[in-house]
Amino acid sequence: MKNSNIKLSVIASLLLLAGCGKDFLDEQPSEFLTQEQVGEAASVNPAVIEGTISGIYSTMFATQSGGTTNHDDFGHKGYDIYGDMLSGDMALSVSTYGWYRADITEFQSTQDFTRTRNYMPWRFYYRVIRSANLVIDALGGNETVPEIEENKYLMGQAKTLRAHAYFYLTQYFANSYDPSAEILPIYDSPDDLNGPKVTTAEIYALMEKDLNESISLLDGFSRSSKGQVDKTVAQAILAYVLASKGDSHEEVMDLTANVINNGGYTLMNSEEVLGGFNDLNTSGWIWGVDLTVDAGLGLVSWWGQMDLFTYSYAWAGDAKAIDSDLYAAIPEDDVRKQQFAEPIGEYTDLMPLNKFYHPDRVIGGQANITTDYVYLRVAEMYLLHAEAAAKAGDAGAARTMLKGLLAERLPSTAYVDGLSGQALLDEIYLQTRIELWGEGKSYLSLKRNQGTVVRGDNHLSNVGVPINYDDERLTFEIPQSEIQNNPNISTQN
């Protein structure tokens, strides 16, 4: 069994390299154990699969996981930056090295399927999906409920991660939610290769099934750290999935309330929102990554693109700032206004110097990344609950939840009591953009609320140009490599 475990460890590492396209078709070396043998071993020894699940979590923040050596290719948080810039809420206010400028802020990649940055998110999220499929298959397949408790938890994690990846693909590669539109291929088995595009409704059905099953499978799971997904993470992702459909408000309210009331999380207080957003153990964080020197991240990382106090592009010449109009909309007595540098010169103008930073606050100082990544916060559940309640016509519940969040940000929330109808919805949308700035959620909110992007004067292009949420410029194209190598896909969305 010792020798078998060594082989299984090797094959688990190899399987994680599986992505979409031609590289996935490479045959596995015959001297390794088969997927069937992995499944048989896992049925009595969950440790066989635990290593593969850990590998998926590592892929989430791995450099080159989008198939390139680009310095914006570092996993899920890399595409958070894409979304924040496409939404208009994050401005590339100074560009010396050119990262993000032409491809993202000038919309070249979203309009040209030959560009590498169409390929990167497609490659990355399908890589996560294929790795999750390997785990699910080894545990008995999509319809199996494992007998061993540890394997139930592993199945729940794998299905949550698969749904999470599909959700981001539906957001980045479809202009809007259209149940009948064919947008993406579904792969829910390791045997699936080069599938045709299926309808949005089919993809959403898979995501909802995965997440509902995960909520059950993960019931009772006590994770070792917030670096793993648990029941509350599955509930939160399902809330996002249903909210993006626009017709499941009561379910969204129930899910978000469960996370808020039963997850054991507390909202970040006024001190914490100015505390650097750098520690996974922060009480308001639901899911993230505990980064250490062993992770091997440096310049090519989210911190390496965003933080003035890291050896970074933000320090060296590519400044990311809050949109000037959004900044102006933050009240002077709102603690979150202090997260951004006042206009003191071209370079530091409205950068998030007091929101995201290494604790030492030495400009250009952090070379080896040890500050953590945040994927999900409980504040998102307050805002999503308020949004769903307002859309459901329950203005009282919406105001209560919004005030619960704003009580930690403003000296008075009395003005919320006078809001109703569209004015209430507009305020929730605004507060979502302010609260979650730089965390990759503005793009999701833009699409959910069918908003319009109008860039402020600190952007380098398209200043003042109204761009609707479903504009082609805000959505990626199916990459050229997929169309060339998949005989079942020949058209764009």
Side-chain angles (χ1 to χ4, degrees), residues 22 48 63 103 114 128 133 338 348 353 366 447 482:
K22 291 185 294 184
V48 171
T63 61
D103 280 285
T114 69
V128 171
N133 284 339
Q338 300 174 44
T348 58
L353 304 190
Q366 179 182 213
K447 289 203 165 185
E482 181 70 19

Side-chain angles (χ1 to χ4, degrees), residues 255-270:
L255 287 161
T256 52
N258 271 318
V259 176
I260 292 167
N261 296 328
N262 303 317
Y265 310 106
T266 58
L267 283 168
M268 294 175 72
N269 60 33
S270 58

Side-chain angles (χ1 to χ4, degrees), residues 62-70 73-75 123 127 300:
T63 61
Q64 303 182 25
S65 52
T68 76
T69 58
N70 294 337
D73 186 348
F74 43 82
R123 164 76 174 232
R127 172 172 283 184
V300 184

Side-chain angles (χ1 to χ4, degrees), residues 322-454:
I322 186 173
D323 172 84
S324 57
D325 291 342
L326 181 58
Y327 177 77
I330 306 174
E332 292 299 324
D333 58 356
D334 189 324
V335 67
R336 295 168 300 184
K337 193 112 178 175
Q338 300 174 44
Q339 292 177 331
F340 306 96
E342 291 282 359
I344 58 175
E346 179 187 33
Y347 190 65
T348 58
D349 183 9
L350 304 187
M351 293 175 68
L353 304 190
N354 298 316
K355 181 169 185 178
F356 305 116
Y357 57 83
H358 185 271
D360 290 347
R361 293 185 69 85
V362 174
I363 294 176
Q366 179 182 213
N368 300 308
I369 305 301
T370 57
T371 42
D372 298 337
Y373 282 169
V374 58
Y375 292 154
L376 193 61
R377 290 199 286 134
V378 76
E380 299 171 44
M381 299 296 99
Y382 279 75
L383 290 160
L384 204 55
H385 187 104
E387 180 185 304
K391 290 177 177 177
D394 190 347
R399 287 191 291 262
T400 296
M401 195 61 68
L402 182 59
K403 289 173 67 176
L405 172 70
L406 294 181
E408 297 289 346
R409 310 289 179 257
L410 290 162
S412 173
T413 63
Y415 80 97
V416 175
D417 292 326
L419 300 176
S420 62
Q422 190 60 48
L424 179 57
L425 279 168
D426 289 345
E427 183 65 18
I428 295 167
Y429 181 35
L430 173 63
Q431 294 302 329
T432 299
R433 296 168 62 202
I434 295 170
E435 177 70 23
L436 303 177
W437 186 91
E439 299 176 52
K441 303 299 165 51
S442 292
Y443 182 81
L444 306 180
S445 183
L446 172 71
K447 289 203 165 185
R448 277 197 321 272
N449 292 284
Q450 300 182 0
T452 300
V453 174
V454 181

Side-chain angles (χ1 to χ4, degrees), residues 57-375:
Y57 288 126
S58 296
T59 299
M60 291 278 289
F61 62 84
T63 61
Q64 303 182 25
S65 52
T68 76
T69 58
N70 294 337
H71 286 197
D72 56 348
D73 186 348
F74 43 82
H76 179 59
K77 294 297 290 182
Y79 309 114
D80 278 354
I81 295 177
Y82 283 13
D84 282 334
M85 288 187 169
L86 289 173
S87 77
D89 285 353
M90 182 182 289
L92 181 66
S93 58
V94 180
S95 178
T96 302
Y97 294 92
W99 296 108
Y100 304 102
R101 183 166 188 178
D103 280 285
I104 304 302
T105 69
E106 296 178 0
F107 308 126
Q108 290 187 19
S109 278
T110 54
Q111 298 179 86
D112 181 357
F113 80 137
T114 69
R115 308 286 291 198
T116 300
R117 282 161 186 85
N118 281 290
Y119 170 70
M120 285 166 52
W122 182 280
R123 164 76 174 232
F124 168 74
Y125 288 111
Y126 272 115
R127 172 172 283 184
V128 171
I129 288 164
R130 290 194 185 281
S131 296
N133 284 339
L134 290 165
V135 172
I136 293 165
D137 189 68
L139 291 171
N142 288 302
E143 306 307 319
T144 298
V145 177
E147 294 182 5
I148 298 177
E149 189 173 67
E150 289 88 342
N151 281 345
K152 285 175 58 179
Y153 298 153
L154 293 169
M155 178 73 87
Q157 291 176 71
K159 288 190 172 183
T160 301
L161 292 167
R162 181 169 71 179
H164 180 263
Y166 270 122
F167 175 62
Y168 276 88
L169 285 169
T170 66
Q171 300 304 291
Y172 284 131
F173 289 92
N175 292 340
S176 61
Y177 177 76
D178 178 354
S180 62
E182 295 181 347
I183 57 170
L184 300 166
I186 276 184
Y187 302 116
D188 63 358
S189 164
D191 299 325
D192 290 344
L193 300 172
N194 293 330
K197 290 191 291 184
V198 303
T199 65
T200 304
E202 291 177 76
I203 298 170
Y204 269 72
L206 175 63
M207 290 190 291
E208 292 174 44
K209 179 177 182 291
D210 273 353
L211 291 165
N212 278 309
E213 290 175 356
S214 294
I215 291 167
S216 176
L217 289 164
L218 292 169
D219 191 36
F221 174 52
S222 180
R223 54 186 173 172
S224 59
S225 80
K226 292 180 183 178
Q228 297 173 303
V229 300
D230 68 356
K231 181 178 178 178
T232 62
V233 176
Q235 290 172 322
I237 296 171
L238 181 56
Y240 268 113
V241 169
L242 295 176
S244 69
K245 294 170 65 176
D247 62 356
S248 304
H249 308 311
E250 297 293 340
E251 293 174 84
V252 173
M253 291 172 66
D254 288 344
L255 287 161
T256 52
N258 271 318
V259 176
I260 292 167
N261 296 328
N262 303 317
Y265 310 106
T266 58
L267 283 168
M268 294 175 72
N269 60 33
S270 58
E271 292 182 0
E272 288 175 316
V273 298
L274 298 176
F277 280 73
N278 50 40
D279 185 356
L280 181 64
N281 294 315
T282 303
S283 60
W285 290 24
I286 298 175
W287 181 32
V289 185
D290 181 14
L291 293 174
T292 66
V293 172
D294 291 340
L297 296 184
L299 177 64
V300 184
S301 65
W302 185 89
W303 290 95
Q305 286 287 356
M306 290 292 298
D307 177 30
L308 184 73
F309 304 101
T310 291
Y311 183 81
S312 68
Y313 286 102
W315 157 65
D318 284 359
K320 288 83 177 177
I322 186 173
D323 172 84
S324 57
D325 291 342
L326 181 58
Y327 177 77
I330 306 174
E332 292 299 324
D333 58 356
D334 189 324
V335 67
R336 295 168 300 184
K337 193 112 178 175
Q338 300 174 44
Q339 292 177 331
F340 306 96
E342 291 282 359
I344 58 175
E346 179 187 33
Y347 190 65
T348 58
D349 183 9
L350 304 187
M351 293 175 68
L353 304 190
N354 298 316
K355 181 169 185 178
F356 305 116
Y357 57 83
H358 185 271
D360 290 347
R361 293 185 69 85
V362 174
I363 294 176
Q366 179 182 213
N368 300 308
I369 305 301
T370 57
T371 42
D372 298 337
Y373 282 169
V374 58
Y375 292 154

